[in-house]
Amino acid sequence: MSGKKKYIFLLLIDIILINVSVMAALFLRLEITPSELWQTEFLRNFLIGIPVLSLIYICMTLIFKTYSVLWVFASSRDLVTLNFVCAISALLYMLVAYIAGILLPRSVYPIGALIMMILITGTRLLDRVYTRQRMNGEKKSEIPGRHLLIIGAGMAGNMLIHDIKQHSPSQKELWVIDDDREKTGKYIYGAKVVGTRENIADAVREYGIDTIIFAIPSCPEGERSELLRICTDTGCEVLTMPSIFFSTTALLGARTCLPPSMKKSDSSPSPA
């Protein structure tokens, strides 16, 4: 589905859901059957309010650009923004209804807003799951499963493991090495930390490792060379994450990490 068609499709689904939310809230508040609702003035007010609520919601989504979000990569902030749009739409709808005289019971508005949040958020989460499943399905045949050993359980290692688990579902054989002994035996996204640098050779033999990924971009050159020597001595294919992804930020007083990529290490590591 093209971007424009998907936008129109989501917009129509949202308009239906937000009005269904108000209708559901009305039934919950009045505790009546559909046939009984026909006999009340609330049905007329609800029908008149459909274009009002729809227009308010569309305006809010344009202001907060919720349709510009790639939900497959969305963060918790995007979900908060989407729920805020639902809440503010319900609030504005209530104000307009009071001014225009198309009133519904007051409790309908917060109940409707809550149902709206659940339904609208649910559609985005379903879209996220479907898109990721489709992406993973396309990559399944492209990425052969390997026995991987990740060197480093820090920020870069965590990002790499998460990416592998997220986008390479066929990759199930994955272990981690880190010199912090407190991490040994722990799990990172399902990958077990099996020891320190002294255990690299043993891990290669025990788990049948065929590829080692060096994931400590900020490692000092001397220590880096030593670790790469240990890795290459195992006879495995060795990949490294370059150190250019780490820089000092004076304003924040912290390191900044850009998205990692991998490259083959030199056949012979440079001396310390």
Side-chain angles (χ1 to χ4, degrees), residues 23 27 32-39 43:
M23 176 63 79
F27 279 119
I32 59 176
T33 64
S35 60
E36 293 173 328
L37 181 63
W38 283 98
Q39 303 172 12
L43 178 63

Side-chain angles (χ1 to χ4, degrees), residues 45-116:
N45 292 345
F46 167 73
L47 294 175
I48 295 174
I50 287 178
V52 175
L53 177 58
S54 301
L55 183 60
I56 291 173
Y57 179 80
I58 291 171
C59 291
M60 290 300 101
T61 57
L62 291 175
I63 292 172
F64 290 95
K65 301 179 181 178
T66 58
Y67 288 110
S68 300
V69 176
L70 288 173
W71 286 99
V72 66
F73 302 120
S75 65
S76 57
R77 170 184 272 184
D78 296 312
L79 283 176
V80 170
T81 300
L82 183 63
N83 285 325
F84 177 75
V85 166
C86 293
I88 199 70
S89 296
L91 176 61
L92 292 175
Y93 173 51
M94 180 179 68
L95 293 176
V96 172
Y98 270 83
I99 294 172
I102 50 174
L103 301 176
L104 298 174
R106 283 177 295 180
S107 58
V108 165
Y109 301 103
I111 295 173
L114 181 59
I115 298 174
M116 197 185 304

Side-chain angles (χ1 to χ4, degrees), residues 151-202:
I151 308 298
M155 182 185 296
N158 272 265
M159 293 171 64
L160 177 61
I161 295 167
H162 178 268
D163 189 65
I164 291 173
K165 292 287 187 179
Q166 191 69 55
H167 301 295
S168 303
S170 62
Q171 180 59 60
K172 301 185 183 300
E173 306 298 329
L174 179 62
W175 295 270
V176 186
I177 289 289
D178 193 276
D179 279 345
D180 185 350
R181 297 185 183 277
E182 291 186 1
K183 295 180 181 179
T184 300
K186 303 295 192 303
Y187 288 83
I188 303 173
Y189 299 113
K192 186 177 182 179
V193 180
V194 295
T196 64
R197 71 178 69 189
E198 289 83 5
N199 304 112
I200 291 177
D202 292 336

